[in-house]
Amino acid sequence: MSKKALVVDSDFFFVEFISEVLEKNGYEVIKAYSAKEGISKLEEGPVKVFFLDIIMPKADGKKLIEYARMKFRDERFPVIAVSGTVIEQMDKLDEIGADYYIAKGPVESMADHIAKCLEMIEEDP
């Protein structure tokens, strides 16, 4: 599988920002601006890594993670939940089902967290 990444967030800025960080790390990025669009993009096939916001209108990130895991049962790809509410949801993180969590915040800090996350993913066979 090529280094494809899917980024789903209803906030245009964060889709573009995360995409830029991923592209600098050699990923081909597929962008979606809603959970519905994210589902449509997942129909095109599995990705190497999947970034999504936990809180989105109409369908939350948890539902999207469940869909991705069900759709690609035999494919293993890390899911990274990015949210401004990670701190408030600490007691529910196990229920959400992501592999990694990154809090939205200052872009320099987020870029560092994303890069470290990608390093861990690429080191894990």
Side-chain angles (χ1 to χ4, degrees), residues 5-94:
L6 174 59
V7 178
V8 183
D9 195 321
S10 56
D11 186 319
F12 179 83
F13 171 80
F14 283 106
V15 171
E16 295 304 315
F17 167 69
I18 294 168
S19 296
E20 185 177 308
V21 173
L22 289 166
E23 287 167 353
K24 285 180 181 177
N25 282 277
Y27 284 82
E28 174 188 341
V29 180
I30 303 162
K31 302 173 187 178
Y33 301 92
S34 69
K36 183 177 180 180
E37 190 179 0
I39 288 171
S40 175
K41 299 294 183 181
L42 281 169
E43 291 294 328
E44 297 172 15
V47 292
K48 179 150 175 77
V49 64
F50 180 21
F51 282 80
L52 76 156
D53 191 1
I54 298 171
I55 308 292
M56 290 184 283
K58 298 187 182 175
D60 66 5
K62 182 177 184 242
K63 297 269 190 239
L64 193 50
I65 293 169
E66 290 170 358
Y67 175 80
R69 299 276 195 225
M70 181 186 71
K71 172 96 176 137
F72 301 107
R73 282 193 174 112
D74 299 330
E75 301 285 335
R76 185 68 186 134
F77 53 90
V79 174
I80 297 93
V82 181
S83 180
T85 64
V86 168
I87 301 300
E88 292 87 355
Q89 298 185 11
M90 291 297 280
D91 59 334
K92 297 179 185 173
L93 293 182
D94 287 340

